[in-house]
Amino acid sequence: MQKNIVLVGLMGAGKSSVARYLSAKLDREVVSTDAFIEEQQKKSIAQIFRDEGEPFFRKREKEAVKEIVKREGIIIDCGGGVVIDPVNIQNLKKNGVIFYISASPGFLYQKIKEKTQRPLMETNDPEARLRQLLAEREVNYRKADHILETTGMTIEQIGGAVIKKLKKE
Ligand code: S3P
């Protein structure tokens, strides 16, 4: 069995870009929990938050994780809040290696400030919100198998660091 590569971390950490980089390098398919939910609900994440609210989204996210982990050898690009529910972490760990892409809120904010479709960033002070989310979630993110400190790093550097860890597994 080939284990899944699971990417977690806050919004702006570059999970989707790193997933694409790894996909090209390792010839593995990427499945994103957000894209899975959007396809199933036929709406964008922003619209789901607006119409149904966050608790509804979190339930769909939990179901999405359960479905996605039935597959093997893929790269799973997780929405930033996937770690809130410890059951998701357990499910992702069963047949996957989890990488936490950690970075400072300031660095994350620089990367997301032009993109505004993220419902949790619709606030007057997005950087403060990132700091708050990090404070709430850090303990759970750190349940990952590998923690990569990536402040200041490019996508290629982060992807390279993931591959290096995988080789040592
Ligand atoms: C969220 C992160 C988003 C998306 C949703 C909620 C979060 O995914 O799942 O807006 O709670 O951190 P990205 O981390 O891919 O932006």
Side-chain angles (χ1 to χ4, degrees), residues 9-13 15-16 33-34 37 45-46 49 54 57-58 61 77-82 84 112 117-120 133 137 141:
L10 274 182
M11 293 168 270
K15 294 171 300 237
S16 304
T33 58
D34 279 355
I37 298 165
I45 299 298
F49 267 74
E54 185 170 346
F57 171 77
R58 296 299 172 201
E61 189 172 52
D77 169 18
C78 295
V82 88
I84 297 171
I112 59 168
Q117 311 99 322
R118 288 177 164 101
L120 296 180
L133 289 173
R137 297 175 180 173
Y141 283 137

Short mmCIF file of all heavy atoms in Angstrom, two decimals, residues 9-13 15-16 33-34 37 45-46 49 54 57-58 61 77-82 84 112 117-120 133 137 141, ligand 1:
data_model
loop_
_atom_site.label_atom_id
_atom_site.label_comp_id
_atom_site.label_asym_id
_atom_site.label_seq_id
_atom_site.Cartn_x
_atom_site.Cartn_y
_atom_site.Cartn_z
N GLY A 9 -2.39 22.91 7.21
CA GLY A 9 -1.79 24.19 7.59
C GLY A 9 -2.80 25.30 7.34
O GLY A 9 -3.85 25.07 6.72
N LEU A 10 -2.47 26.48 7.82
CA LEU A 10 -3.40 27.60 7.70
C LEU A 10 -3.56 28.05 6.25
O LEU A 10 -2.72 27.74 5.40
CB LEU A 10 -2.90 28.79 8.50
CG LEU A 10 -3.25 28.87 9.98
CD1 LEU A 10 -2.68 30.19 10.55
CD2 LEU A 10 -4.76 28.83 10.21
N MET A 11 -4.60 28.82 6.01
CA MET A 11 -4.80 29.44 4.70
C MET A 11 -3.54 30.24 4.34
O MET A 11 -2.98 30.91 5.20
CB MET A 11 -5.98 30.44 4.78
CG MET A 11 -7.31 29.76 5.01
SD MET A 11 -8.60 30.94 5.45
CE MET A 11 -8.43 30.97 7.23
N GLY A 12 -3.13 30.14 3.10
CA GLY A 12 -1.96 30.91 2.67
C GLY A 12 -0.65 30.15 2.80
O GLY A 12 0.39 30.60 2.31
N ALA A 13 -0.69 28.97 3.42
CA ALA A 13 0.57 28.22 3.63
C ALA A 13 1.11 27.68 2.31
O ALA A 13 2.28 27.31 2.23
CB ALA A 13 0.34 27.08 4.61
N LYS A 15 -0.55 25.14 0.53
CA LYS A 15 -0.85 23.70 0.43
C LYS A 15 -1.19 23.30 -1.01
O LYS A 15 -0.67 22.30 -1.51
CB LYS A 15 -2.04 23.33 1.34
CG LYS A 15 -1.75 23.48 2.82
CD LYS A 15 -3.04 23.32 3.62
CE LYS A 15 -4.04 24.35 3.24
NZ LYS A 15 -4.60 25.22 4.16
N SER A 16 -2.05 24.08 -1.67
CA SER A 16 -2.48 23.70 -3.03
C SER A 16 -1.33 23.77 -4.01
O SER A 16 -1.18 22.90 -4.88
CB SER A 16 -3.63 24.59 -3.51
OG SER A 16 -4.68 24.51 -2.58
N THR A 33 -9.83 18.63 -0.36
CA THR A 33 -11.09 18.47 0.38
C THR A 33 -12.07 19.58 -0.03
O THR A 33 -13.25 19.32 -0.22
CB THR A 33 -10.87 18.49 1.91
OG1 THR A 33 -10.24 19.72 2.28
CG2 THR A 33 -10.00 17.33 2.37
N ASP A 34 -11.56 20.80 -0.21
CA ASP A 34 -12.45 21.90 -0.62
C ASP A 34 -13.07 21.64 -1.98
O ASP A 34 -14.27 21.83 -2.17
CB ASP A 34 -11.68 23.23 -0.66
CG ASP A 34 -11.51 23.87 0.72
OD1 ASP A 34 -12.07 23.34 1.69
OD2 ASP A 34 -10.82 24.90 0.80
N ILE A 37 -15.80 19.05 -1.80
CA ILE A 37 -17.05 19.58 -1.23
C ILE A 37 -17.76 20.48 -2.26
O ILE A 37 -18.98 20.40 -2.44
CB ILE A 37 -16.76 20.36 0.08
CG1 ILE A 37 -16.16 19.44 1.13
CG2 ILE A 37 -18.03 21.03 0.61
CD1 ILE A 37 -15.50 20.14 2.31
N ILE A 45 -16.95 27.31 -1.84
CA ILE A 45 -16.83 27.26 -0.37
C ILE A 45 -17.43 28.54 0.23
O ILE A 45 -18.18 28.50 1.21
CB ILE A 45 -15.35 27.11 0.06
CG1 ILE A 45 -14.73 25.81 -0.48
CG2 ILE A 45 -15.20 27.20 1.57
CD1 ILE A 45 -15.36 24.52 -0.01
N ALA A 46 -17.12 29.68 -0.40
CA ALA A 46 -17.64 30.96 0.11
C ALA A 46 -19.17 30.94 0.14
O ALA A 46 -19.79 31.40 1.11
CB ALA A 46 -17.14 32.10 -0.76
N PHE A 49 -20.51 28.70 2.98
CA PHE A 49 -20.44 29.40 4.27
C PHE A 49 -21.58 30.41 4.38
O PHE A 49 -22.22 30.54 5.41
CB PHE A 49 -19.09 30.15 4.42
CG PHE A 49 -18.02 29.36 5.12
CD1 PHE A 49 -17.37 28.31 4.49
CD2 PHE A 49 -17.63 29.68 6.42
CE1 PHE A 49 -16.36 27.59 5.13
CE2 PHE A 49 -16.63 28.97 7.08
CZ PHE A 49 -15.99 27.92 6.43
N GLU A 54 -20.90 27.78 8.81
CA GLU A 54 -19.69 26.97 9.03
C GLU A 54 -19.97 25.55 9.56
O GLU A 54 -19.36 24.60 9.08
CB GLU A 54 -18.71 27.73 9.95
CG GLU A 54 -17.41 26.97 10.09
CD GLU A 54 -16.30 27.75 10.79
OE1 GLU A 54 -16.43 28.98 10.95
OE2 GLU A 54 -15.30 27.11 11.17
N PHE A 57 -20.65 23.30 6.77
CA PHE A 57 -19.41 23.07 6.02
C PHE A 57 -18.53 22.03 6.72
O PHE A 57 -17.98 21.13 6.09
CB PHE A 57 -18.64 24.38 5.82
CG PHE A 57 -17.27 24.18 5.25
CD1 PHE A 57 -17.10 23.91 3.90
CD2 PHE A 57 -16.14 24.24 6.07
CE1 PHE A 57 -15.82 23.69 3.37
CE2 PHE A 57 -14.87 24.02 5.56
CZ PHE A 57 -14.72 23.74 4.20
N ARG A 58 -18.39 22.17 8.05
CA ARG A 58 -17.52 21.23 8.78
C ARG A 58 -18.03 19.79 8.69
O ARG A 58 -17.24 18.85 8.66
CB ARG A 58 -17.39 21.66 10.25
CG ARG A 58 -16.70 23.00 10.47
CD ARG A 58 -15.29 23.05 9.97
NE ARG A 58 -14.73 24.41 10.02
CZ ARG A 58 -13.69 24.80 9.30
NH1 ARG A 58 -13.08 23.97 8.47
NH2 ARG A 58 -13.26 26.04 9.38
N GLU A 61 -17.08 18.56 5.39
CA GLU A 61 -15.62 18.37 5.36
C GLU A 61 -15.26 17.02 5.99
O GLU A 61 -14.42 16.28 5.48
CB GLU A 61 -14.97 19.53 6.12
CG GLU A 61 -13.47 19.60 6.01
CD GLU A 61 -12.90 20.89 6.63
OE1 GLU A 61 -13.22 21.20 7.79
OE2 GLU A 61 -12.14 21.58 5.93
N ASP A 77 -4.89 17.60 -0.33
CA ASP A 77 -4.75 19.02 -0.02
C ASP A 77 -5.94 19.39 0.88
O ASP A 77 -7.07 19.49 0.40
CB ASP A 77 -4.77 19.78 -1.37
CG ASP A 77 -4.90 21.27 -1.21
OD1 ASP A 77 -4.64 21.79 -0.11
OD2 ASP A 77 -5.26 21.93 -2.22
N CYS A 78 -5.66 19.55 2.17
CA CYS A 78 -6.75 19.75 3.13
C CYS A 78 -7.07 21.22 3.35
O CYS A 78 -6.17 22.05 3.44
CB CYS A 78 -6.36 19.17 4.48
SG CYS A 78 -6.17 17.39 4.46
N GLY A 79 -8.35 21.53 3.51
CA GLY A 79 -8.76 22.88 3.92
C GLY A 79 -8.12 23.17 5.28
O GLY A 79 -7.91 22.25 6.09
N GLY A 80 -7.82 24.44 5.54
CA GLY A 80 -7.07 24.82 6.74
C GLY A 80 -7.69 24.37 8.06
O GLY A 80 -6.99 24.18 9.04
N GLY A 81 -9.02 24.20 8.06
CA GLY A 81 -9.69 23.89 9.32
C GLY A 81 -9.91 22.40 9.54
O GLY A 81 -10.57 22.01 10.51
N VAL A 82 -9.34 21.57 8.71
CA VAL A 82 -9.60 20.13 8.79
C VAL A 82 -9.16 19.55 10.14
O VAL A 82 -9.75 18.59 10.63
CB VAL A 82 -8.94 19.40 7.58
CG1 VAL A 82 -7.52 19.02 7.87
CG2 VAL A 82 -9.74 18.21 7.14
N ILE A 84 -9.46 20.82 13.06
CA ILE A 84 -10.29 21.20 14.22
C ILE A 84 -10.92 19.95 14.83
O ILE A 84 -11.00 19.80 16.04
CB ILE A 84 -11.41 22.19 13.79
CG1 ILE A 84 -10.81 23.50 13.27
CG2 ILE A 84 -12.38 22.45 14.94
CD1 ILE A 84 -11.83 24.43 12.63
N ILE A 112 -1.95 35.81 0.98
CA ILE A 112 -3.39 35.72 0.67
C ILE A 112 -4.07 37.07 0.51
O ILE A 112 -5.23 37.13 0.18
CB ILE A 112 -4.18 34.92 1.74
CG1 ILE A 112 -4.05 35.57 3.11
CG2 ILE A 112 -3.76 33.47 1.76
CD1 ILE A 112 -5.02 35.00 4.11
N GLN A 117 -11.56 35.31 -1.64
CA GLN A 117 -12.73 34.41 -1.59
C GLN A 117 -12.79 33.58 -0.30
O GLN A 117 -13.62 32.73 -0.18
CB GLN A 117 -12.76 33.40 -2.76
CG GLN A 117 -12.56 33.93 -4.13
CD GLN A 117 -11.11 33.73 -4.55
OE1 GLN A 117 -10.17 33.86 -3.76
NE2 GLN A 117 -10.91 33.40 -5.82
N ARG A 118 -11.91 33.85 0.64
CA ARG A 118 -11.92 33.00 1.83
C ARG A 118 -12.85 33.60 2.88
O ARG A 118 -12.58 34.66 3.43
CB ARG A 118 -10.51 32.87 2.37
CG ARG A 118 -9.63 31.98 1.49
CD ARG A 118 -8.24 31.95 2.04
NE ARG A 118 -7.44 30.87 1.50
CZ ARG A 118 -6.55 31.06 0.53
NH1 ARG A 118 -6.37 32.23 -0.02
NH2 ARG A 118 -5.84 30.02 0.11
N PRO A 119 -13.92 32.86 3.21
CA PRO A 119 -14.92 33.41 4.12
C PRO A 119 -14.35 33.83 5.48
O PRO A 119 -14.76 34.85 6.03
CB PRO A 119 -15.94 32.28 4.29
CG PRO A 119 -15.46 31.13 3.52
CD PRO A 119 -14.28 31.52 2.70
N LEU A 120 -13.37 33.06 5.99
CA LEU A 120 -12.85 33.40 7.32
C LEU A 120 -11.94 34.63 7.30
O LEU A 120 -11.56 35.14 8.34
CB LEU A 120 -12.11 32.21 7.93
CG LEU A 120 -12.96 30.98 8.21
CD1 LEU A 120 -12.12 29.86 8.82
CD2 LEU A 120 -14.12 31.30 9.13
N LEU A 133 -6.56 32.17 14.63
CA LEU A 133 -6.79 30.80 14.16
C LEU A 133 -5.59 29.91 14.49
O LEU A 133 -5.75 28.77 14.89
CB LEU A 133 -7.06 30.78 12.66
CG LEU A 133 -8.40 31.36 12.20
CD1 LEU A 133 -8.44 31.42 10.67
CD2 LEU A 133 -9.57 30.53 12.72
N ARG A 137 -5.55 26.56 16.70
CA ARG A 137 -5.35 25.29 16.00
C ARG A 137 -3.95 24.67 16.12
O ARG A 137 -3.77 23.51 15.78
CB ARG A 137 -5.61 25.48 14.50
CG ARG A 137 -7.03 25.86 14.21
CD ARG A 137 -7.17 26.13 12.73
NE ARG A 137 -8.52 26.50 12.38
CZ ARG A 137 -8.87 26.92 11.16
NH1 ARG A 137 -7.96 27.02 10.22
NH2 ARG A 137 -10.12 27.24 10.91
N TYR A 141 -2.55 21.14 14.68
CA TYR A 141 -1.63 21.04 13.53
C TYR A 141 -0.40 20.23 13.90
O TYR A 141 0.14 19.47 13.10
CB TYR A 141 -1.19 22.43 13.06
CG TYR A 141 -2.22 23.20 12.25
CD1 TYR A 141 -2.45 24.55 12.49
CD2 TYR A 141 -2.93 22.59 11.22
CE1 TYR A 141 -3.36 25.27 11.75
CE2 TYR A 141 -3.86 23.30 10.47
CZ TYR A 141 -4.06 24.65 10.74
OH TYR A 141 -4.97 25.35 9.99
C1 S3P B 1 -10.64 27.23 6.02
C2 S3P B 1 -9.71 27.15 5.02
C3 S3P B 1 -10.08 27.08 3.60
C4 S3P B 1 -11.48 26.52 3.43
C5 S3P B 1 -12.46 27.27 4.28
C6 S3P B 1 -12.10 27.23 5.76
C7 S3P B 1 -10.19 27.28 7.43
O1 S3P B 1 -9.16 26.27 2.88
O2 S3P B 1 -11.55 25.15 3.75
O3 S3P B 1 -12.51 28.59 3.81
O4 S3P B 1 -11.01 27.06 8.34
O5 S3P B 1 -8.99 27.54 7.66
P1 S3P B 1 -7.64 26.74 2.53
O6 S3P B 1 -6.81 26.50 3.74
O7 S3P B 1 -7.24 25.85 1.40
O8 S3P B 1 -7.71 28.17 2.14
#
